[in-house]
Amino acid sequence: MIPVQTTVNVPNQSLTAEPVISISNLNHYFGEGNLRKQALFDINLNIDAGEIVIMTGPSGSGKTTLLTLMGGLRSAQEGSLKILGQEICGASKQQLTQLRCQIGYIFQAHNLLKFLTAKQNVRMSLELHDEMLQLDTEAIAILEAVGLGNRVDYYPEKLSGGQKQRVAIARALIARPKIVLADEPTAALDKKSGRDVVELMQKLAKEQGCTILLVTHDNRILDIADRIVSMEDGRLLN
């Protein structure tokens, strides 16, 4: 008897979700004509949803330039740069503005507005999103989550460096972005404050399911990463 062959529908295990950041053969230049200088060379990198990636490298290696391209803060020039499935190379200013609403930014200098309280600084991110209605409630809740529930009405000048960076984290995460980009967030902090800040980023981002790309020179925080990549002279080394 010839055995009967049955077909079993098995899910295709090779199908994976599209990376939230997908970069292919990316080049970038500053200046024009004889002054034109290449800053990024043939960058290829994929980052998946929920991943925490740390990017290291010496000053001037192109880390911040790459970060600003990913965040839609400047337009990509050559190659392919897809953020959340959207091609950024050649994107219009309106498209870049819409993209930025889905990304949280944490800068080295925290960039808080001195004339606004912690709560008001955090609220600013929500005001870009029409669906967010309970602005004060949301702002206070996220400040409580970063340990500043008793500092919501403090102005930046009354906060320590670590507290200011916690406000910056709250501001970046309050709208539940799909991607958080952090540029040297611990550079101005002591060892304990820096550690507290990145562990807080890690905890809140994992709870919200977002992806983190963190640029740093701080070797003390490398262990929070799922993956470490390095840049040198505008090139990705690994």
Side-chain angles (χ1 to χ4, degrees), residues 4-167:
V4 177
Q5 184 175 9
T6 59
T7 301
V8 179
N9 291 325
V10 179
N12 189 344
Q13 299 298 323
S14 65
L15 294 178
T16 57
E18 184 178 8
V20 295
I21 299 174
S22 181
I23 307 173
S24 179
N25 303 318
L26 181 69
N27 296 291
H28 193 73
Y29 306 84
F30 291 118
E32 297 179 356
N34 294 332
L35 298 178
R36 193 181 194 217
K37 181 178 180 181
Q38 189 164 357
L40 298 178
F41 298 79
D42 198 29
I43 302 295
N44 293 277
L45 177 67
N46 286 333
I47 300 177
D48 294 325
E51 200 174 10
I52 297 178
V53 176
I54 284 181
M55 182 178 294
T56 65
S59 296
S61 60
K63 304 185 303 298
T64 297
T65 298
L66 182 57
L67 205 70
T68 58
L69 290 173
M70 292 179 184
L73 299 177
R74 55 165 54 103
S75 181
Q77 297 167 342
E78 289 182 6
S80 176
L81 172 56
K82 291 183 179 179
I83 306 296
L84 301 171
Q86 178 180 342
E87 180 60 62
I88 300 305
C89 270
S92 67
K93 289 184 178 180
Q94 182 179 4
Q95 288 172 320
L96 293 177
T97 299
Q98 292 173 346
L99 172 69
R100 289 194 290 268
C101 290
Q102 302 181 72
I103 298 175
Y105 302 89
I106 302 171
F107 301 99
Q108 176 178 342
H110 55 72
N111 291 349
L112 300 182
L113 296 177
K114 297 179 180 180
F115 55 87
L116 297 180
T117 65
K119 180 177 68 178
Q120 291 168 337
N121 268 283
V122 171
R123 269 187 52 144
M124 288 185 63
S125 288
L126 284 181
E127 290 168 357
L128 299 174
H129 300 265
D130 294 336
E131 69 276 12
M132 298 287 189
L133 298 177
Q134 303 296 325
L135 300 186
D136 281 346
T137 302
E138 294 274 354
I140 292 171
I142 192 75
L143 284 167
E144 288 175 345
V146 300
L148 293 177
N150 61 343
R151 296 287 190 275
V152 295
D153 293 320
Y154 280 50
Y155 288 91
E157 65 181 14
K158 298 296 184 182
L159 300 174
S160 68
Q163 289 170 337
K164 291 175 186 176
Q165 205 60 305
R166 285 170 180 259
V167 175

Side-chain angles (χ1 to χ4, degrees), residues 205-220:
K206 286 297 185 183
E207 289 174 356
Q208 295 184 7
C210 70
T211 300
I212 295 179
L213 176 61
L214 192 156
V215 167
T216 189
H217 288 101
D218 192 346
N219 293 331
R220 301 170 299 183

